[in-house]
Amino acid sequence: MPNEMNSASITDGFHLVVDALKLNGIDTIFGVAGIPITDLARLAQAEGLRYIGFRHEQSAGNAAAIAGYLTKKPGICLTVSAPGFLNGMVALANATTNGFPMIQISGSSDRAIVDLQQGDYEELDQMNAAKPYTKASFRVSKHAAISGRPGGVYLDLTSEVLGATLDTNAATRSLVRVVEPAPRQFPDPESIKRAIDLLASAQRPLIILGKGAAYAQADGAIRALVEMTGIPYLPMSMAKGLLPDNHKQSAAAARSLVLAEADVVMLIGARLNWLLAQGKGPRWSPTTQFVQVDISPTEIDSNRAIAAPVVADIGSAMSAFLAVLKPGQIQPKAAWLNAISERKQHNTERMAAHLNASPNPMNFYSSLRSIRDVLAEKPDIYVVNEGANTLDFGRDIIDMRQPRKRLDCGTWGVMGIGMGYAIGAAVVSGKPVVAVEGDSAFGFSGMEIETICRYHLPIVVVVFNNGGIYRGDDLNRSGGSDPSPTVLMKNARYDKLIEAFDGTGYHVTDPRSLTKVLTDSLASRKPALINCIIDPTAGTESGHLQNLNPQSQVGK
Ligand code: ADP
Ligand code: TPW
Ligand code: MG
């Protein structure tokens, strides 16, 4: 507790919020200033917190969310009332959906005016508006972003509270609560035994690692379990790198085979949501049995019956498994491992043929090959990735070698996380970031390149410019002169945008130049944007999600 809190003196809401953040170990705030929180941002900075000011609250929120994911401490996003609050809400809701710990703190109008709808400047009942999209929504009170499944929490700060002068003793009791680190949640020993027995009885076992496993920061124990059991594993996209992608037990290159044929699947921090076809056919066998390790009891049985649930935090669960598992107790059958390695070899050869071609203009394979090769030497660089084809090809082609280095569209498949995630990752880690962005995806948060330049962050944005959403060659079916709904500016010079802010822009049309400028810009550790021209016909509509994309059949 700061000294002034021990003996009563006068404070106000501004100081109390800053004290509360500091007492909770928060060192950074991401936000956009304005009435009524301008002075809060200033005070936070004066008191030694780092304040990163954005151009749009959604990006500030995305930065806070990814900071939360990377550090296991809630990331803080500060916004003004009503519209600023709502701009941030997309990021807060996205944090909840993905299980990232984040707190959005927004200024709001006086309660009496809001409740009587008397028409205030930026009036909105924010606390209630936030409720459906958060774990909890409070008016200045305790927060709980990290206990249980992490998620978004909303804190409403009325101008009244901010401005009120208070006696510090009373204020400390009502406003400043210190949040402990999330408590460990130990598994029931019976559940560990049941899971081991099931895995030991399997003919064709599989482990799926999700971003919950990456978030848990139990990297060594997870790797030990995978290696001790010898079970092939599949990383979900943000779990790539938890074990290096070139690990011999990775079944990523035989994904369809292992999903369809595994008889026992152990989910570690991964939900059976749309990213895993809800666990249902045709991608899955109806007889597959599941072990699921998850902190959230309500996740169990939500899409498929789970034969062996282990409700625990992943670190504690892994320790419990390793404590009782005997060497050789679980041993996948050779026939299964051989089938997987044959399929891997077949698919890897097919992929190599695409990667080794050098079409002109570049396509997704040849451009991503350059990025993959540059990053292979630099495993500690963060990769942010969004778009449709840019995302799907990027995930498959760029190998990750360290945990929590790949940050992408996540559970919602949302566009607009790019610059916010890149800034959040660069700020909390001090490490360089490469953001591989579809040209459409980039547009959702593109103005934040000014933020990147203003704070001199070591971020290189690569825009995969195929002139559109999915492709750049779609036609206006009326025959009119407007572009089609999916078409963007042809040959747009995104590289010139960053030059307006004293960053370095590059325009490249071949893989060799891409390799060179990416290498140079990473070495400089200065903000750069590489406008990378991709064949407008190279992508497919909706990337790999064509099955989710309805098409009009009438009149075809
Ligand atoms: P992916 O998209 O990578 O498949 P999901 O976001 O669907 O991953 O699933 C992550 C799961 O991990 C969630 O069900 C969440 O409850 C769980 N989880 C998050 N953190 C922890 C933790 N520390 N311990 C255990 N489970 C966790
Ligand atoms: C908030 C819908 C999914 S993917 C995408 C959009 C607009 C852009 C794809 O084009 P891009 O990538 O980025 O150029 P590429 O390589 O295929 O050409 N609004 C939000 N989220 C989503 N997901 C969409 C719209 C969408
Ligand atoms: Mg595009």
Side-chain angles (χ1 to χ4, degrees), residues 475-490:
L475 297 175
N476 177 339
R477 291 174 202 183
S478 77
S481 61
D482 281 349
S484 131
T486 58
V487 162
L488 299 171
M489 177 79 77
K490 289 216 185 322

Side-chain angles (χ1 to χ4, degrees), residues 364 386-391 412-416 437-442 444 464 466 468-471 488 540 543:
F364 290 97
E386 64 173 337
N389 295 282
T390 303
L391 176 83
W412 258 352
V414 65
M415 297 301 117
E437 301 274 310
D439 50 348
S440 164
F442 173 67
F444 286 73
F464 273 20
N466 62 351
I469 299 176
Y470 314 133
R471 296 168 68 91
L488 299 171
T540 51

Side-chain angles (χ1 to χ4, degrees), residues 272 278-281 284-290 292 299-306:
L272 282 176
Q278 275 96 16
K280 308 222 161 90
W284 289 86
S285 150
T287 57
T288 308
Q289 291 192 286
F290 289 93
Q292 183 162 30
E299 194 52 41
I300 307 302
D301 291 342
S302 56
N303 276 336
R304 282 279 295 255
I306 303 297

Side-chain angles (χ1 to χ4, degrees), residues 233 243-250 344 399-401:
Y233 74 93
L243 283 80
D245 275 337
N246 61 359
H247 195 282
K248 69 177 190 329
Q249 283 171 256
S250 169
K344 269 174 73 171
D399 290 331
M400 305 308 298
R401 288 171 176 75

